[in-house]
Amino acid sequence: MFAIIETGGKQYRVCVGDVLDVERLDAEVGATVSLKVLLTGEGEHITTGAEAEKKAVKATVVRQLKAPKVVVFKYKAKKNVRRRQGHRQFYTRIKIDEIV
């Protein structure tokens, strides 16, 4: 059985036991979170719409982490204009426990 979930403006295909990194969630390590379901499937049987929204995916927060730093460097040739900026995205690692 699988489900398509939505979190952080992105969609993921998950099965029970999957571990994935999603946009940061405000939850403590070890806490259980419920995620919005868009579609579920079992074999060739697929449910969408109102039936799928009744279901939920329960996941446990494994870890809060940060991605590697990305350096953004902008410049204009021959104008002595230089701009350096860094970004480091926050993620939450979750483990899918069950699809209810």
Side-chain angles (χ1 to χ4, degrees):
M1 181 173 204
F2 71 93
I4 305 292
I5 61 169
E6 180 183 16
T7 179
K10 297 174 184 67
Q11 297 175 4
Y12 303 92
R13 181 185 189 274
V14 296
C15 297
V16 175
D18 286 353
V19 176
L20 66 145
D21 294 338
V22 297
E23 295 289 323
R24 184 176 185 182
L25 300 172
D26 290 329
E28 296 291 325
V29 175
T32 302
V33 292
S34 180
L35 302 168
K36 181 180 176 184
V37 176
L38 301 176
L39 179 144
T40 59
E42 187 170 5
E44 293 186 15
H45 182 68
I46 294 176
T47 58
T48 61
E51 291 182 31
E53 289 179 3
K54 292 177 185 175
K55 297 183 180 184
V57 172
K58 304 284 186 186
T60 304
V61 176
V62 176
R63 182 177 170 202
Q64 301 281 358
L65 61 139
K66 292 195 251 182
K69 183 176 276 193
V70 176
V71 176
V72 180
F73 187 76
K74 297 179 181 181
Y75 74 100
K76 298 200 183 289
K78 303 174 190 169
K79 302 295 182 194
N80 198 24
V81 175
R82 308 281 187 263
R83 184 168 170 229
R84 182 173 176 259
Q85 181 179 351
H87 176 75
R88 196 159 181 197
Q89 187 68 38
F90 291 96
Y91 287 105
T92 301
R93 183 164 290 158
I94 60 173
K95 181 174 189 284
I96 306 300
D97 294 330
E98 61 180 333
I99 300 171
V100 183

